[in-house]
């Protein structure tokens, strides 16, 4: 099969990988319809984080092509959304709703396992991992729906995890630090959970427009100390009830610490690259921090209902679309900040 191959810093190529086969009775093989490039893929592309040479891409949706003998909840032809990690559904972490920490799970596209930036994927623990999209319309899903389904594979759930981790509730004032696809998804999540005011930190007009579409009530264009000062002005010096950290740098977490009110919460989902940040800045203000790798499998069913009902449209984060043959362009567009998030059209629904 054709698939994107990570060759090292700055190099993504289209190559061939073996066609996936059923290896365990709980497996399914999925023919990929849409994949995408994640912001975390850029850390590998830029050489900031390490990645094995080989498969890449952990977000995909598609059609079940074959199933193992023990798969009972899925059938050939089902349209499915894959969370970015696979899980067995039975370990203590899975039972607690943290499938991304499954004792027997793993990540798609890690250089060895099949990646979502390819034509097919073997999905382990298919019944526990994959989420079936019910009742496809006679004419098929729209491109907008397919984009939103793809967003549910990771970024929409990761933004939601930030808001859930921070305990966002009706009436809250929330600030979102980060205007990438996850940060924009966090704006959407905060509004879904009832936040009355959502302050999006962004200096990019295109991203500001999506943030407003997702429900941001205020835009702050500063960074660092300037951003902290602006948010405090907007909140009469008190700070926000919850800050959603969707970047992972020292500056982003320090900004969150500076803008969160005493006793407030930070929901942190940016892959942490902190080097200087110190916990004491939270301790003296009684600020809590919670978050981590989003358990997408826990959130997909709820958010899928919202997408199918037309209540949310998380696929708006995709503003660059190409095919698998041009996957290098998809990476370049995001690396150069010409795109919020790149969608890959790989197969037909």
């Amino acid at each position: 099969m054709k698939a994107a191959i990570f060759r090292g810093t700055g190099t993504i190529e289209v190559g061939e990988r073996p066609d996936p086969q059923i290896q365990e009775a709980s497996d399914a093989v999925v023919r990929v319809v849409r994949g995408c490039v994640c912001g975390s893929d850029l850390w590998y592309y830029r050489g900031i984080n390490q990645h094995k040479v080989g498969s890449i891409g952990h977000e995909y949706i598609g059609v079940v092509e074959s199933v193992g003998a023990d798969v009972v909840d899925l059938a050939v032809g089902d349209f499915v959304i894959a969370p970015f990690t696979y899980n067995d559904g039975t370990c203590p972490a899975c039972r607690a709703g943290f499938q991304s920490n499954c004792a027997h799970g793993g990540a798609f596209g890690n250089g060895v396992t099949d990646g979502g930036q390819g034509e097919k994927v073997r999905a382990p623990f298919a019944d526990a991992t994959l989420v079936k999209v019910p009742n496809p319309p006679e004419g098929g899903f729209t491109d907008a729906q397919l984009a939103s389904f793809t967003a549910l594979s990771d970024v929409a759930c990761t933004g939601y995890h930030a808001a859930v981790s921070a305990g966002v509730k009706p009436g809250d004032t929330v600030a979102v630090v980060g205007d990438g696809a996850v940060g924009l998804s966090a704006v959407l999540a905060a509004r879904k959970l009832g936040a009355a005011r959502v302050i999006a930190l962004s200096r990019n007009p295109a991203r500001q427009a999506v943030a407003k579409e997702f429900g941001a009530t205020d835009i702050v264009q500063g960074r660092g100390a300037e951003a902290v000062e602006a948010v405090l002005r907007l909140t009469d010096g008190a700070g926000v009830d919850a800050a959603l950290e969707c970047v992972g740098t020292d500056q982003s977490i320090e900004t969150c610490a500076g803008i969160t009110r005493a006793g407030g919460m930070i929901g942190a989902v940016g892959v942490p690259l902190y080097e200087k940040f110190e916990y004491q800045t939270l301790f003296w203000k009684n600020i809590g921090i919670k978050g981590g790798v989003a358990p997408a499998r826990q959130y997909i069913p709820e958010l899928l209902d919202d997408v199918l009902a037309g209540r949310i449209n998380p696929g708006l984060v995709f503003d660059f679309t190409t095919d698998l043959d041009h996957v290098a362009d998809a990476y370049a567009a995001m690396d150069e900040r010409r795109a919020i998030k790149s969608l890959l059209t790989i197969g037909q629904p």
Side-chain angles (χ1 to χ4, degrees):
M1 67 168 181
K2 186 163 57 177
I5 307 294
F6 177 77
R7 297 295 186 192
T9 302
T11 306
I12 298 288
E13 299 176 353
V14 178
E16 291 188 351
R17 283 179 50 82
D19 284 335
Q21 305 292 329
I22 299 295
Q23 297 179 18
E24 304 290 341
S26 59
D27 289 349
V29 172
V30 178
R31 177 177 58 79
V32 177
V33 170
R34 297 287 187 274
C36 58
V37 180
C38 184
S40 61
D41 292 334
L42 292 184
W43 296 127
Y44 310 130
Y45 184 77
R46 293 168 175 165
I48 297 172
N49 287 345
Q50 297 301 305
H51 191 285
K52 293 179 180 178
V53 171
S55 64
I56 193 167
H58 48 263
E59 302 154 285
Y60 68 95
I61 61 174
V63 178
V64 175
E65 190 171 79
S66 60
V67 297
D70 291 348
V71 175
V72 297
D73 295 331
L74 297 170
V76 172
D78 284 346
F79 196 96
V80 294
I81 300 170
F84 60 93
T85 59
Y86 56 87
N87 65 95
D88 66 7
T90 62
C91 79
C94 288
R95 294 199 303 271
F98 289 89
Q99 295 92 334
S100 54
N101 297 106
C102 177
H104 306 109
F108 292 106
N110 62 2
V112 180
T113 60
D114 298 316
Q117 294 167 22
E119 292 179 318
K120 296 181 183 180
V121 174
R122 180 180 73 89
F125 308 117
D127 278 339
T129 297
L130 302 175
V131 178
K132 178 181 175 180
V133 181
N135 305 318
E138 185 174 341
F141 297 114
T142 66
D143 287 340
Q145 286 176 313
L146 293 174
S148 284
F149 297 159
T150 309
L152 296 187
S153 190
D154 182 348
V155 290
C157 292
T158 298
Y160 193 52
H161 188 51
V164 170
S165 296
V168 174
K169 61 186 185 301
D172 276 353
T173 296
V174 178
V176 178
V177 179
D179 64 355
V182 171
L184 295 172
S185 298
V187 171
L188 186 66
R191 292 294 282 183
K192 169 181 163 59
L193 291 174
R197 193 176 190 185
V198 180
I199 304 167
L201 277 62
S202 175
R203 299 189 297 183
N204 183 298
R207 297 170 189 233
Q208 291 171 8
V210 177
K212 291 176 182 177
E213 179 74 18
F214 281 173
T217 56
D218 302 85
I219 302 292
V220 166
Q221 298 195 50
R223 284 190 178 178
E226 183 183 352
V228 172
E229 183 180 337
V231 173
L232 292 179
R233 279 200 308 270
L234 288 172
T235 57
D236 297 324
V240 298
D241 300 303
L244 310 186
E245 201 285 276
C246 302
V247 183
T249 63
D250 280 320
Q251 184 182 69
S252 60
I253 189 65
E254 287 165 359
T255 298
C256 286
I259 63 178
T260 304
R261 65 165 171 79
M265 282 289 295
I266 296 172
V269 296
V271 177
L273 300 173
Y274 313 144
E275 295 180 351
K276 299 177 181 178
F277 179 70
E278 296 182 351
Y279 171 69
Q280 288 94 321
T281 58
L282 304 182
F283 179 87
W284 296 114
K285 288 177 66 179
N286 281 288
I287 294 172
I289 183 168
K290 186 178 180 182
V293 181
R297 181 61 180 81
Q298 183 71 11
Y299 299 136
I300 289 173
E302 175 187 353
L303 298 180
L304 176 58
D305 285 346
D306 287 338
V307 169
L308 292 174
R311 290 187 289 268
I312 62 172
N313 185 13
L316 289 177
V317 297
F318 294 107
D319 57 351
F320 184 95
T321 301
T322 189
D323 57 22
L324 186 56
D325 287 332
H326 296 88
V327 65
D329 295 337
Y331 274 80
M334 289 179 64
D335 184 49
E336 297 163 9
R337 288 182 67 82
R338 291 184 285 109
I340 300 170
K341 190 169 177 66
S342 296
L343 182 68
L344 296 173
T345 299
I346 297 176
Q348 294 298 317

